[in-house]
Amino acid sequence: MKQFLPAIELLAKGELPSNSNQIKVYEKSYTVEGNVHLLMVKNSGEKFILATGEGAIFDELTGTDVDGKGKACPLTYENRLVLNKYFDYTVPQAFGTEIATIGLGDRLGLASPGHIETVREKNIKPVLAQQSIRELTLTNRSMNDMLDAAAFAVFQEGYKGGYGADGDHIKEESDIQYALSLGASMITLDCSDHIDNTIEKASPEVLDEKFNALSEVVKQRYMEQYLGKTFEVNGLTLTLDETELKKNVLLYDKAIDYTTHVYNEYISKENRAIDFEISIDETETVTSPISHFFVANELINRGVKVVSLAPRFCGEFQKGIDYIGDVEQFEVELREHALIAEHFGYKLSIHSGSDKFMVFPIIAEYTKGVFHVKTAGTNWLEAIRVIAATNPDLYRRMHVFALENFEEALKYYHVTPDLNSFEKLENVEDAKLPEYMNNDAARQLFHVTYGLLLTAKGENDTFLFRDEFFKTLDKYEEEYRDALVSHIGKHIELLGL
Ligand SMILES: [Zn+2]
């Protein structure tokens, strides 16, 4: 740890060391707490918080002594908790319904500095930590790894604007409990297991049969509440005929019950604000505006405080590429969805929201700039772009592997790329490799194979790509930051913020 001595000596005098061959200095992290001076630095690919001075925070941070002058504290879970204790801005927070938020899923734990720079001066708050259980499992990460990465990034960048942490697309109660216990500020409840996808195409006879099988109390309550009634919602006039009502009850009754249960049992019992998002998008059934109204009306009547709701929009929101579908139809429906959300006082949430440049201006207009948008895989694709530009050999090996294992990845994701639509690898010179990330099919190829790529092992149980991948991104940290600022910046711009 001798290499840190000159830096610590300067820090003790209240001076900032400059970058050297030995260490990279994150100037924005410089923080003084009482008599303790803190600074994040990097040495040989590993980050530390240098601490010097006297005070409780110095005693609580754990690290290696540097010649009796201070200590070098690694970015561990324990040290993250110390930062959380002393600096509120490093703790995830809820944002409620008045301001736009953007989910910035970071599968690598490296993207947040770029994300922070992108949103810093904008009228939108970042949900820096946002991973589903599926994403965590596929990348061998824990929820704490995700929270650690976000908190340390906030400290590194000296970002005091606040950030959120989303336990994303959670289905099981145990996972909700777990995410809340670790400090998640947002829970996205995925109701798809409680939505019956056969209803949409069921015959009238089947609908009747299934509806009649419901309890008398349930049937009666819904009939009284909706049949023959007209609802004036923010300028929309909404009605449900008998078939539509039966359909909506059969589709959503269980999901509504489950959501209400989760809200009462977990969300409302937290003694802090939680952004509770309801996701009914992970199904094959497109959410019509009337269905959206039905679900929302039921939830609000049952006392559920919804902060955001994600319908399944018409058209296709495939991962990592632009909107596929009828943009005019989308505009008609989005307008109604936005009016309904505004009526009930929550935000509309757009999932798989990355790269939907065609429809961003529509979303901005009808939501009046207050919405939640989730992005995730696109941040990983920008990392791939950096790899292609800086380590062509690694890129080529990953490309071949992704093609060979594409079928396997389809077990987890729905995408339909035409893998013949991009140039064969052997015909592309090194300098042109980053252009693959401008091709929709190549984007989707990498988008779905991330877990396989990052965990692939070769002989002797060593990683095929992982170590070299992280080493390259560490070396080209600034390039990755710039790529994100440019790409996510384009999202923010088209979303009008
Ligand atoms: Zn979703």
Side-chain angles (χ1 to χ4, degrees):
M1 292 292 150
K2 275 274 185 209
Q3 68 271 30
F4 295 127
L5 187 56
I8 285 207
E9 282 174 334
L10 279 173
L11 201 58
K13 289 190 273 180
E15 289 171 35
L16 271 183
S18 41
N19 287 317
S20 66
N21 296 338
Q22 291 269 18
I23 64 168
K24 175 178 166 68
V25 174
Y26 298 92
E27 287 179 15
K28 289 182 183 136
S29 70
Y30 178 59
T31 305
V32 181
E33 168 71 19
N35 293 318
V36 179
H37 296 245
L38 304 168
L39 179 72
M40 193 182 286
V41 297
K42 185 166 78 174
N43 170 252
S44 315
E46 205 181 338
K47 289 178 182 175
F48 295 88
I49 294 173
L50 300 182
T52 179
E54 281 172 19
I57 186 170
F58 182 85
D59 297 338
E60 287 172 47
L61 286 167
T62 51
T64 310
D65 174 73
V66 182
D67 219 26
K69 301 267 172 46
K71 54 186 164 188
C73 312
L75 306 193
T76 58
Y77 168 69
E78 289 74 19
N79 282 335
R80 187 260 287 179
L81 293 184
V82 176
L83 293 188
N84 284 167
K85 180 175 164 190
Y86 287 89
F87 308 116
D88 281 349
Y89 63 88
T90 67
V91 180
Q93 68 170 80
F95 291 107
T97 57
E98 301 294 319
I99 187 160
T101 40
I102 181 165
L104 297 157
D106 173 14
R107 292 170 182 164
L108 304 168
L110 297 174
S112 290
H115 288 150
I116 289 167
E117 188 170 324
T118 313
V119 301
R120 202 186 264 274
E121 304 298 330
K122 302 289 194 287
N123 197 21
I124 186 166
K125 294 294 182 183
V127 177
L128 296 174
Q130 171 210 279
Q131 296 281 276
S132 62
I133 302 293
R134 171 177 70 181
E135 284 170 310
L136 290 171
T137 310
L138 288 175
T139 50
N140 283 344
R141 295 175 79 213
S142 71
M143 211 173 273
N144 268 328
D145 292 339
M146 158 184 104
L147 294 167
D148 290 349
F152 284 123
V154 163
F155 184 79
Q156 176 189 307
E157 297 298 307
Y159 176 65
K160 301 190 173 67
Y163 75 99
D166 182 6
D168 191 16
H169 283 99
I170 296 187
K171 295 180 174 182
E172 307 297 334
E173 291 179 53
S174 55
D175 290 332
I176 292 164
Q177 249 175 320
Y178 182 62
L180 288 172
S181 75
L182 298 185
S185 58
M186 174 171 183
I187 295 290
T188 299
L189 181 66
D190 179 346
C191 300
S192 54
D193 287 354
H194 303 272
I195 296 173
D196 182 352
N197 279 312
T198 65
I199 298 299
E200 188 67 17
K201 295 194 176 85
S203 67
E205 293 74 34
V206 172
L207 281 184
D208 281 340
E209 195 183 308
K210 289 201 174 190
F211 189 80
N212 287 333
L214 297 171
S215 81
E216 278 309 316
V217 187
V218 171
K219 276 188 285 194
Q220 211 178 346
R221 193 167 52 74
Y222 280 120
M223 287 294 198
E224 276 172 16
Q225 175 77 11
Y226 293 96
L227 206 58
K229 300 265 171 74
T230 301
F231 299 88
E232 299 294 339
V233 176
N234 218 355
L236 299 171
T237 304
L238 302 172
T239 55
L240 286 130
D241 65 26
E242 193 169 338
T243 311
E244 270 176 323
L245 176 58
K246 287 179 177 172
K247 222 178 207 182
N248 277 289
V249 169
L250 291 170
L251 267 170
Y252 297 113
D253 176 58
K254 284 203 184 71
I256 293 162
D257 279 349
Y258 183 59
T259 304
T260 309
H261 167 73
V262 163
Y263 178 76
N264 290 332
E265 201 58 40
Y266 307 103
I267 308 296
S268 70
K269 285 184 180 164
E270 286 289 305
N271 55 7
R272 59 195 174 110
I274 300 293
D275 288 332
F276 186 40
E277 172 157 318
I278 318 301
S279 129
I280 52 173
D281 69 305
E282 303 292 324
T283 77
E284 289 156 30
T285 310
V286 171
T287 317
S288 63
I290 187 72
S291 292
H292 177 181
F293 166 76
F294 175 79
V295 171
N297 195 50
E298 282 300 312
L299 290 175
I300 303 297
N301 283 345
R302 297 182 198 192
V304 178
K305 291 202 173 66
V306 180
V307 170
S308 47
L309 186 146
R312 161 93 154 78
F313 296 107
C314 61
E316 287 200 49
F317 276 65
Q318 286 197 18
K319 308 276 179 187
I321 61 170
D322 212 325
Y323 178 74
I324 301 173
D326 182 339
V327 175
E328 278 174 39
Q329 176 70 13
F330 177 82
E331 179 163 3
V332 168
E333 294 194 15
L334 188 97
R335 175 180 161 271
E336 299 191 5
H337 285 302
L339 287 169
I340 293 165
E342 186 182 51
H343 170 79
F344 288 113
Y346 55 78
K347 296 191 282 196
L348 209 54
S349 179
I350 292 91
H351 287 195
S352 302
S354 68
D355 306 279
K356 303 298 176 290
F357 301 116
M358 247 192 275
V359 294
F360 282 157
I362 297 173
I363 292 167
E365 181 182 345
Y366 294 104
T367 62
K368 300 174 184 166
V370 184
F371 51 77
H372 183 64
V373 168
K374 288 192 195 229
T375 72
T378 202
N379 302 305
W380 145 259
L381 294 177
E382 288 310 304
I384 297 293
R385 196 193 295 275
V386 172
I387 296 291
T390 60
N391 191 341
D393 180 61
L394 173 61
Y395 176 83
R396 285 179 190 279
R397 282 179 279 129
M398 289 175 71
H399 186 112
V400 170
F401 180 90
L403 281 173
E404 283 169 356
N405 292 277
F406 179 66
E407 291 297 320
E408 168 74 14
L410 289 185
K411 284 183 191 163
Y412 310 100
Y413 287 98
H414 167 67
V415 290
T416 56
D418 174 4
L419 298 179
N420 295 315
S421 70
F422 51 79
E423 194 64 53
K424 285 203 162 39
L425 194 57
E426 57 266 32
N427 300 336
V428 178
E429 56 181 292
D430 281 357
K432 302 260 190 214
L433 290 175
E435 288 174 23
Y436 274 117
M437 287 303 107
N438 300 335
N439 176 284
D440 283 354
R443 289 177 70 77
Q444 293 201 316
L445 168 68
F446 276 96
H447 199 293
V448 298
T449 50
Y450 66 94
L452 298 169
L453 284 162
L454 288 174
T455 53
K457 286 189 172 175
E459 284 164 33
N460 309 323
D461 213 30
T462 53
F463 285 115
L464 276 179
F465 312 112
R466 189 186 181 92
D467 297 335
E468 191 180 354
F469 179 85
F470 276 100
K471 216 173 156 183
T472 306
L473 277 184
D474 175 63
K475 186 171 171 194
Y476 295 98
E477 188 181 353
E478 293 308 320
E479 282 76 1
Y480 187 36
R481 174 197 292 261
D482 292 346
L484 289 168
V485 169
S486 156
H487 191 67
I488 298 299
K490 188 176 163 194
H491 288 61
I492 307 272
E493 194 181 316
L494 284 168
L495 283 163
L497 296 163

